[in-house]
Amino acid sequence: MPYKILDKKELAMNEVWYKIHAPHVARKVRPGQFVVVRAFPNGERIPLTPVTWDREEGWITLITFVRGKTTMRMANELKPGDELLNVAGPLGNPAPMKKFGKILAIGLITGMVEVFPIARAWQEIGNEVTTLHVTPNPMVILREEFENAVSRHIVEGFDLQPGWGMNEIAQELVKRAVAKVKELLESEHWDLVFIVGPAGGQKAVFNVVKEYGIPMEADLHPIMVDATGMCGVCRVTVGGEVKFACIDGPGFDAYKVDWDELIHRTGFYAPLERLALEHYLKTLQAQGGEQ
Amino acid sequence: MAVRRKLIKERVPTPERPPKERVKDFKEVNLGYTFELAVKEAERCLQCPYEYAPCIKGCPVHINIPGFISKLVEYRDNPDKAVREALRIIWNDNTLPAVTGRVCPQEDQCEGACVVGKVGDAVDIGKLERFVADYARKNGIEEELLCEFEEECTGELGKVAIVGAGPAGLTCAGELAKMGYKVTIFEALHKPGGVLAYGIPEFRLPKEILDHELAKLNRLGVEIKTDHVVGRTVTIEELLQEYDAVFIGTGAGTPKLLNIPGILLGRIYSANEFLTRVNLMKAYEFPEYDTPIAIGKKTIVIGAGNTAMDAARSALRLGSEVTIAYRRGREDMTARIEEIKHAEEEGVQFEFFLQPVEFIGDENGRVKAVKFERMRPLEERDKRGKRKIVGTGEYVTLEADTVIIAIGLEPNRIITETPGLKTNPNGTLVVDENLMTSIPGVFAGGDAIRGEATVILAMGDGKKAAKAICDYIEKKRAKANA
């Protein structure tokens, strides 16, 4: 199955945009659903979210955050005209399309990508949607698209300090998100809060929202392999029951999610992920040496 | 052939790689027969007549076993001709002999029924079938036969959609193609084969053999669309608008997990996840392959079916010590005898009458031990003929830094959510005697209707469904023309 890369560009620091020919997905995908992509013959399967699509022309767009080997290799090696080996989907359940009223939809860093199709659809069916993007300033994306699609779009950006690693960025992200969400919840009435982002950030924001008793939905990002319900690696505890995020989610009631467990499970492969990235960087270096 | 043969009780053994060597890699354990050995084994067959031969009845796709075996003996001076004639006979009933010769539980099927087995070792039908397929593949004989079969595959009689590229779907596709139908298979994963691709390890079924068998189907005109999750990418209703009939062979791919404390701890895998990472994603070649697998020094595999053996032997090859913990006794194990033997030779430890009650984690949220209750067998037996067991109230804790759960599978929910498709309480699809589901024109077979069963039963269903689909389409046409 050839899935041609029709276009590709760097939107911001570490944020790469791809337009992919995938008519089977474009025809059917609904906001909240995702795809699984395999880009290389020895590659892994990674879940990504279609941001926009054209059912007639048969394309979808994806935005990846360059955070490890696969996404870096895609950013480095794939050019427009190349093909992705596999794009499976759409997968997961669509987000509920209801009139909730006034919605605050939050995206942390690249989580904003996943917020886009859902927020836009909610707005279209008559909700009043405010979107909040919390991210380092060099990684602000889709600003104009959001401004055109929803009632109000807020960017809570912050500058990266010299010497910061992932931990410092994550800490600042959580601090900013919590402060901004508190401010918004304090000053206005909300019917629903929705969040996409790293589990740690989602939990921190949930702890704020909980104090106000506002209904909250979260799209969860556990590790996935097949994403069709046949392995259970994406299992999460929701309301005391074991659920598979790929077929029961990815959206869940934030009040029912066991957040600590989720945070734990997403970090399992961190050492091997680092190893894979180092291995790739070494290969790149070796290739650079030969040239 | 009216040749009277002397009964030879002992079977001709197939060479195997020594345990110490083979546990270091994922290459095939059993090396199979040479032509000379195959002929010698073939001579043990008593050539029961086709109408009575119990081995044929024992085979779910009813291969003419004495027929193909006789060719090996008859043309013993011309190996190419012997294999060509034998393969032609096998292909009439089974287009995947290199697979079935390797993975069937022959002791419960053809070989279990073999007359010679009543007084000695049954004829090694599986290894002979495998030999024919392997020899034909390596010596260009398959290619000749394919050209013959290709001509029959006109694709003119109608269009059939098949959901799932596992053993049931592949067989149904092959049969329908041979009958003259245009077949399209829709597969969710990036590689066809179903359990043959993600479940059964290379040391039992080398992937190049599977790839070859799949390429053969392509030659017969079967199209395989990967990355298509029926139920999400396309629905059964949509397929019915485009195709004359649909066959569902989606298997039983959802792992059963133990509903006990600690199930979400790190390094607790379902066997499906573990085997998918290892087989489909080649995680054992990480970081040359991108998919990682985290495995510790001590692995406990829970369960004692073929999946448990595959997981245990794979974990061993990744460098872990492995113990299989089973809640019943040795004689209750459902895995193939050959696999249990191979696992033992390779150093897998077995613990019996242990039922897990809790997974215990360390400070990092990873599993560090499993608490079991000791069980005791009763005289009473359950529906499957296994002894019932009861708890003794006595507990043991075994250390483990990796746990693989292989206690069974149930049908995937994505497909069963199709409106109008009736399911049984256990999630399997309801079908009539012609394997037709509650939706006219939609047929089903394999694990999707049986729950977790075997490759060859799935293939038998695929074959039966192909005939039923053919009848259904013909009747529909006749009605439309009347």
Side-chain angles (χ1 to χ4, degrees):
Chain A
M1 293 284 151
Y3 306 104
K4 198 170 180 180
I5 301 171
L6 304 170
D7 202 358
K8 176 198 173 188
K9 62 189 169 197
E10 203 169 329
L11 291 186
M13 190 181 92
N14 290 342
E15 302 280 4
V16 188
W17 174 87
Y18 302 86
K19 183 175 168 185
I20 312 287
H21 177 73
H24 67 305
V25 177
R27 202 172 65 85
K28 264 286 169 60
V29 62
R30 286 190 280 162
Q33 291 187 299
F34 61 97
V35 293
V36 161
V37 167
R38 196 175 68 109
F40 306 102
N42 59 350
E44 59 181 341
R45 295 165 64 94
I46 61 165
L48 293 170
T49 302
V51 194
T52 56
W53 49 83
D54 187 307
R55 300 209 196 277
E56 259 98 72
E57 290 180 20
W59 51 259
I60 58 171
T61 61
L62 304 170
I63 297 173
T64 64
F65 170 40
V66 179
R67 63 171 290 267
K69 177 176 179 181
T70 296
T71 45
M72 183 180 286
R73 207 173 154 197
M74 285 172 70
N76 286 350
E77 296 176 20
L78 297 177
K79 302 178 299 293
D82 290 348
E83 283 169 358
L84 292 179
L85 294 178
N86 301 97
V87 179
L91 299 165
N93 291 308
M97 281 301 134
K98 279 190 281 191
K99 262 195 152 175
F100 294 99
K102 204 172 157 195
I103 303 173
L104 175 61
I106 307 160
L108 308 177
I109 318 185
T110 319
M112 207 57 196
V113 164
E114 212 171 308
V115 172
F116 184 76
I118 299 172
R120 181 170 67 174
W122 275 341
Q123 181 80 31
E124 274 169 9
I125 61 165
N127 289 290
E128 187 191 334
V129 182
T130 298
T131 44
L132 168 65
H133 191 190
V134 189
T135 186
N137 281 322
M139 299 171 74
V140 172
I141 47 168
L142 301 175
R143 185 194 288 264
E144 216 174 295
E145 287 82 352
F146 271 105
E147 282 169 358
N148 291 330
V150 298
S151 301
R152 178 170 47 148
H153 182 57
I154 306 166
V155 175
E156 174 72 9
F158 56 90
D159 288 328
L160 293 171
Q161 303 302 322
W164 270 12
M166 284 308 279
N167 276 345
E168 288 78 7
I169 298 174
Q171 278 165 19
E172 185 67 16
L173 183 79
V174 168
K175 204 176 87 186
R176 296 281 181 146
V178 164
K180 193 68 196 177
V181 169
K182 249 186 200 152
E183 182 194 314
L184 286 165
L185 297 190
E186 201 59 53
S187 56
E188 295 170 48
H189 165 82
W190 301 95
D191 297 303
L192 178 74
V193 177
F194 172 66
I195 189 163
V196 185
Q202 286 180 312
K203 182 194 169 189
V205 170
F206 167 67
N207 283 338
V208 176
V209 175
K210 191 170 65 177
E211 284 173 32
Y212 295 82
I214 302 164
M216 180 168 169
E217 289 276 324
D219 266 15
L220 305 188
H221 287 177
I223 295 170
M224 287 190 188
V225 176
D226 61 278
T228 59
M230 61 160 250
C231 85
V233 64
C234 67
R235 60 189 183 267
V236 288
T237 309
V238 181
E241 279 179 60
V242 175
K243 299 275 182 191
F244 291 2
C246 71
I247 52 170
D248 298 316
F252 290 101
D253 180 347
Y255 285 81
K256 292 185 176 166
V257 173
D258 185 328
W259 289 104
D260 291 330
E261 190 181 76
L262 176 69
I263 292 167
H264 226 100
R265 287 185 64 83
T266 29
F268 282 156
Y269 281 96
L272 288 171
E273 284 165 6
R274 271 197 299 279
L275 196 82
L277 183 59
E278 280 163 22
H279 177 81
Y280 178 59
L281 294 174
K282 261 186 219 154
T283 331
L284 280 186
Q285 260 176 1
Q287 280 168 0
E290 280 165 26
Q291 278 161 11
Chain B
M1 265 193 304
V3 186
R4 284 215 172 266
R5 289 222 179 85
K6 205 179 114 202
L7 193 141
I8 304 160
K9 285 189 184 172
E10 276 177 26
R11 79 169 33 168
V12 178
T14 39
E16 283 176 357
R17 298 167 62 216
K20 268 192 187 148
E21 175 198 312
R22 71 192 194 223
V23 290
K24 293 185 189 129
D25 60 48
F26 278 78
K27 289 187 204 128
E28 196 165 22
V29 166
N30 189 298
L31 302 170
Y33 282 133
T34 58
F35 183 68
E36 288 68 33
L37 293 176
V39 172
K40 229 175 133 187
E41 179 64 15
E43 282 176 332
R44 296 180 59 233
C45 173
L46 298 178
Q47 289 296 316
C48 305
Y50 181 83
E51 293 74 21
Y52 308 114
C55 57
I56 301 180
K57 293 201 176 75
C59 168
V61 295
H62 309 306
I63 297 173
N64 178 0
I65 293 164
F68 94 77
I69 290 181
S70 73
K71 298 295 174 191
L72 296 176
V73 181
E74 190 178 340
Y75 300 111
R76 61 187 312 153
D77 299 326
N78 184 349
D80 283 14
K81 184 167 170 100
V83 167
R84 187 184 307 116
E85 296 308 313
L87 188 64
R88 201 195 302 272
I89 291 171
I90 295 174
W91 273 11
N92 276 330
D93 299 295
N94 175 15
T95 39
L96 304 169
V99 173
T100 49
R102 285 175 165 83
V103 306
C104 276
Q106 286 101 358
E107 64 262 29
D108 300 329
Q109 321 247 5
C110 55
E111 291 174 22
C114 174
V115 175
V116 186
K118 309 278 181 256
V119 287
D121 300 332
V123 173
D124 202 338
I125 300 163
K127 295 291 190 307
L128 288 174
E129 180 190 27
R130 169 186 160 169
F131 164 78
V132 170
D134 287 358
Y135 184 99
R137 184 178 64 251
K138 286 178 198 149
N139 295 283
I141 290 162
E142 214 176 69
E143 184 60 32
E144 291 169 36
L145 272 186
L146 259 179
C147 295
E148 276 178 38
F149 274 80
E150 251 175 343
E151 283 175 24
E152 298 170 27
C153 303
T154 57
E156 285 166 355
L157 287 186
K159 286 167 72 184
V160 180
I162 292 187
V163 186
L170 294 174
T171 304
C172 190
E175 293 299 312
L176 285 165
K178 283 192 284 182
M179 292 175 193
Y181 290 88
K182 174 84 193 85
V183 180
T184 307
I185 306 183
F186 295 83
E187 166 58 40
L189 290 176
H190 61 269
K191 200 177 163 181
V195 73
L196 307 174
Y198 71 76
I200 299 176
E202 294 249 19
F203 52 80
R204 283 216 287 141
L205 176 66
K207 293 292 164 272
E208 56 177 54
I209 288 169
L210 176 63
D211 291 344
H212 187 88
E213 297 286 53
L214 292 167
K216 221 166 65 189
L217 279 182
N218 282 337
R219 286 281 298 279
L220 301 181
V222 175
E223 185 194 358
I224 304 183
K225 284 179 188 253
T226 54
D227 307 320
H228 280 64
V229 185
V230 172
R232 301 235 197 256
T233 313
V234 58
T235 61
I236 298 282
E237 286 158 317
E238 288 168 321
L239 289 178
L240 274 178
Q241 286 165 17
E242 205 184 322
Y243 295 87
D244 298 307
V246 176
F247 174 77
I248 300 175
T250 45
T254 303
K256 286 184 198 160
L257 294 170
L258 288 155
N259 192 15
I260 59 174
I263 188 70
L264 276 102
L265 289 167
R267 287 191 181 170
I268 296 179
Y269 293 92
S270 72
N272 254 16
E273 183 199 345
F274 184 79
L275 290 170
T276 299
R277 284 179 185 270
V278 171
N279 297 325
L280 186 70
M281 307 311 296
K282 286 207 171 199
Y284 61 90
E285 292 194 26
F286 178 86
E288 296 306 323
Y289 277 72
D290 292 342
T291 303
I293 191 149
I295 184 162
K297 291 192 178 72
K298 265 195 160 136
T299 300
I300 288 180
V301 176
I302 295 170
N306 286 315
T307 310
M309 297 305 143
D310 286 343
R313 297 173 66 199
S314 297
L316 209 65
R317 282 160 171 78
L318 292 167
S320 187
E321 271 177 42
V322 182
T323 303
I324 284 183
Y326 184 39
R327 62 192 179 131
R328 301 173 195 266
R330 177 175 286 273
E331 62 271 42
D332 301 302
M333 290 200 284
T334 53
R336 291 186 60 198
I337 293 164
E338 185 181 2
E339 305 313 324
I340 296 170
K341 186 191 93 177
H342 281 156
E344 279 177 333
E345 287 169 358
E346 288 166 6
V348 172
Q349 304 290 311
F350 288 80
E351 292 279 351
F352 296 103
F353 296 110
L354 290 184
Q355 166 108 307
V357 291
E358 185 184 353
F359 298 112
I360 300 159
D362 66 11
E363 62 282 2
N364 297 316
R366 289 207 290 233
V367 68
K368 70 169 184 189
V370 187
K371 187 178 170 193
F372 293 94
E373 181 175 7
R374 278 206 191 282
M375 308 303 281
R376 183 166 61 77
L378 299 173
E379 285 308 311
E380 210 183 324
R381 290 182 184 262
D382 68 9
K383 273 182 262 163
R384 291 176 302 169
K386 288 181 178 182
R387 285 180 296 175
K388 286 190 175 172
I389 43 170
V390 282
T392 58
E394 188 194 326
Y395 295 88
V396 276
T397 300
L398 300 182
E399 277 179 34
D401 50 17
T402 310
V403 173
I404 303 170
I405 300 171
I407 57 164
L409 300 160
E410 45 196 37
N412 199 312
R413 290 199 303 264
I414 296 181
I415 196 78
T416 56
E417 282 166 6
T418 300
L421 199 56
K422 273 195 197 141
T423 53
N424 295 306
N426 65 358
T428 54
L429 299 174
V430 174
V431 289
D432 65 14
E433 67 281 2
N434 292 317
L435 298 181
M436 189 151 90
T437 65
S438 49
I439 304 177
V442 178
F443 297 75
D447 287 3
I449 62 165
R450 297 171 177 275
E452 198 186 3
T454 61
V455 168
I456 192 69
L457 285 175
M459 292 176 63
D461 288 347
K463 197 172 161 183
K464 189 176 164 196
K467 288 208 177 74
I469 287 169
C470 181
D471 289 348
Y472 170 83
I473 294 177
E474 276 174 12
K475 265 188 209 145
K476 205 168 75 172
R477 288 270 154 77
K479 244 188 215 164
N481 292 337

